[in-house]
Each structure stands twice: as structure tokens, then as C-alpha cells.
Amino acid sequence: MTAEIIDGKAFAAEVRGKVAEQVAGLKAAHGVTPGLAVVLVGEDPASQVYVRSKGKMTVEVGMASFEHRLDADTSEADLLALIARLNADPEVHGILVQLPLPGHLNEDLVINAIDPAKDVDGFHISNVGLLGTGQKSMVPCTPLGCLMMLRAHHGSLSGLDAVVIGRSNIVGKPMAQLLLGDSCTVTIAHSRTKDLPEVVRRADIVVAAVGRPEMVPGDWIKPGATVIDVGINRIPAPEKGAGKTRLVGDVAFDSAAAVAGAITPVPGGVGPMTIACLLANTLTACCRANGWPEPEGLTA
Ligand code: GUN
């Protein structure tokens, strides 16, 4: 078997297109422009790339982008004061504080200072609790993107065996909640799981989110299973020349693609969906804030 490649890049472009269409509709009908504020503290190079890319795509879908770049030594009080201003700003419907924060800042304290209704990352403790109890919440962007791709591929996920490898608060745990919400039988596996290969071999759906390059080989995959690879790992690529690198996922792509029914590539799979879902969440937050119907097909 050769797996169908789930094209996250194309899927993300489709999601952004739907967002752009609905943003234009809100502007025409109500004169309201959804706004996303992104806060970056310090000069972490990877974070700077993400933030630039988020700002560019926010503007491309017709939303307002507010960027706040703060010095690495910004005090917690100053950061909390900025969040309070953004919470109160009617032009800001979504707030994202880029992680990781410099070590002197308490991430939990900062994230929980964001108005849960504007928490487009879905990291606020209220949103975590709402998701865990099956109530309407803001859903973390990466798991939401994975869910959208799985639903598009399978239609109904009801009754399927899903294994999520990785138990992070950002991906593994919310992913498991979403799959449970769609009536999968869910296993969360992690570094202490006994006989991980056997656990993965039972799964109709495998979501790999551990951050270890190519740790899931093809012979762990049940023939015909759907594999969602969340990992983005940079590894040395001497075949491309001295000092060169390349991106790989948590799944050994070639061997897995030989047995899976469908698989997301790295790059071009889950990655592009994360920002697309951030924009979708900002639109959702704007609609909820105004009491308008939720955007169709863009929420959990
Ligand atoms: N840093 C890396 N990924 C993310 C993300 O999805 N949200 C935030 N806030 N920071 C990140």
C-alpha cells in the first residue's frame, strides 16, 4: 500500500480562504474587522520567524494585526499591564503571547491573565477545563488543525481507535480530548508507555507529537491507518552539503507511507494548519464576542 498524502499546505490555504471570505462578510455586514494581537518578549529567532509569519497571514485574510515586541528584560508587571490593556481593547478579539517566555516570567500566570474569550491559543486554564468537559471553548490551534484534517479524510471518526503519542498541554492532551469528543477510543502514550510499538499497532489513527526525529517506524503502523505527524525536527543533512540541515517529523515518513492509508508530510502537513487555525480561532472569538453565529467548519 502507498499512503494518500494529506496535503496540509493546500488544506491550510483552503481554511485561510474560508476565513478571508467570512472576514469580508463581517466587514460588509457590520463594519467590524477581527483583530489579533501577538505579544513577543525577547529575541528568540524561531519565535521571531513565527510572529512575522502570523502577522503577514493575519493581514492577508483581511484581519487587523497588532504586534507588541517587548525587551527580553520586560518585567512581569509590565507584561501583565499590556495584557490588561489588550483584554479591554474592543478592536482586539484574539491575544497570543508567544512562548517560550524568558525565564524570569511565569508562563502560567501570564497565560491565565488573558481574557479566556480572547485566548486564541486555548491555553487558559478555563479553556482547558471547558474542552475537558466537552463545553464550548477556544481550542489549541495545532490539535484543531489535526482534527480538521482527520475529519476531512474520514468523515466520521466515531468508534475508531486513536493513539496520541505525547502528553504535552499544547498538543497531546487537547488532541486526546478532541478525539474523545468525536467518539474515538483514545490512548495517550508517552515515554513510559509499556510496549509502545504494540500500542501504536492497534491504532486506526496515530498522532505523533513527541519531538523526537523519526521515532515511529513504519512497522509500528497498522496497514491502512491514518498518521498525523506533528513533529518538526531539524536534523543534520550531510548529503546536502557540510553544515546543512533538513526538517523531519516524529514519524519515519518513507517506511510509514508504505503501510499507512494516509499520512501528513513534514514539512507541509500539520505545520501550515496551525497558523490557519489561529486565524480561524480569531474569527470565532470575534463572532462570539458580538453574539453572531459561529463560522461554519472552522471550530471543533
Ligand atoms: N510557540 C510555539 N508554538 C506556539 C503556539 O502555538 N502558541 C504560542 N503562544 N507560542 C508558541
Side-chain angles (χ1 to χ4, degrees):
M1 178 180 298
T2 305
E4 175 190 331
I5 307 298
I6 300 177
D7 185 346
K9 203 172 156 193
F11 202 114
E14 212 176 288
V15 170
R16 292 197 306 274
K18 282 189 200 165
V19 171
E21 203 174 289
Q22 296 187 51
V23 167
L26 293 186
K27 282 186 189 172
H30 307 285
V32 169
T33 302
L36 172 64
V38 174
V39 180
L40 173 61
V41 187
E43 275 100 45
D44 178 64
S47 292
Q48 285 183 326
V49 173
Y50 286 136
V51 167
R52 209 174 306 129
S53 175
K54 283 169 189 164
K56 183 169 161 273
M57 293 198 184
T58 304
V59 172
E60 274 175 15
V61 296
M63 292 185 183
S65 169
F66 307 99
E67 261 180 46
H68 295 268
R69 292 170 182 264
L70 307 181
D71 292 337
D73 62 357
T74 296
S75 72
E76 204 160 80
D78 284 350
L79 179 55
L80 292 173
L82 170 61
I83 291 173
R85 284 204 304 280
L86 297 173
N87 283 343
D89 186 341
E91 291 188 16
V92 172
H93 303 95
I95 302 169
L96 178 146
V97 176
Q98 184 68 28
L99 302 178
L101 288 170
H104 67 286
L105 298 170
N106 179 333
E107 282 187 0
D108 288 337
L109 187 79
V110 169
I111 295 303
N112 290 323
I114 298 172
D115 177 349
K118 297 190 178 188
D119 168 37
V120 283
D121 260 328
F123 294 166
H124 190 289
I125 191 71
S126 296
N127 282 316
V128 175
L130 290 168
L131 177 62
T133 50
Q135 300 178 71
K136 192 186 277 190
S137 66
M138 296 306 303
V139 175
C141 304
T142 300
L144 178 57
C146 296
L147 183 75
M148 283 182 187
M149 291 191 286
L150 284 166
R151 283 179 177 167
H153 181 73
H154 284 271
S156 169
L157 306 182
S158 182
L160 296 178
D161 283 317
V163 170
V164 179
I165 315 172
R167 52 177 156 176
S168 73
N169 291 334
I170 293 180
V171 183
K173 287 180 201 161
M175 186 76 248
Q177 296 287 5
L178 289 171
L179 292 165
L180 196 55
D182 271 26
S183 301
C184 291
T185 302
V186 183
T187 303
I188 306 179
H190 47 78
S191 54
R192 302 293 175 90
T193 295
K194 276 190 283 176
D195 204 352
L196 182 59
E198 267 317 301
V199 170
V200 176
R201 273 185 203 116
R202 287 201 296 269
D204 304 304
I205 293 170
V206 180
V207 180
V210 268
R212 286 185 52 195
E214 301 177 318
M215 73 158 281
V216 179
D219 69 357
W220 292 11
I221 305 295
K222 176 160 105 174
T226 302
V227 179
I228 305 290
D229 191 350
V230 181
I232 301 178
N233 309 289
R234 193 166 281 286
I235 63 165
E239 71 280 6
K240 286 167 66 179
K244 297 284 188 195
T245 60
R246 66 189 174 98
L247 290 179
V248 297
D250 291 347
V251 177
F253 182 84
D254 290 342
S255 64
V259 279
I263 187 168
T264 59
V266 178
V270 174
M273 285 297 286
T274 296
I275 295 184
C277 287
L278 174 67
L279 303 175
N281 277 351
T282 304
L283 174 64
T284 300
C286 177
C287 290
R288 286 180 186 169
N290 287 285
W292 299 327
E294 306 234 333
E296 260 178 50
L298 297 175
T299 57

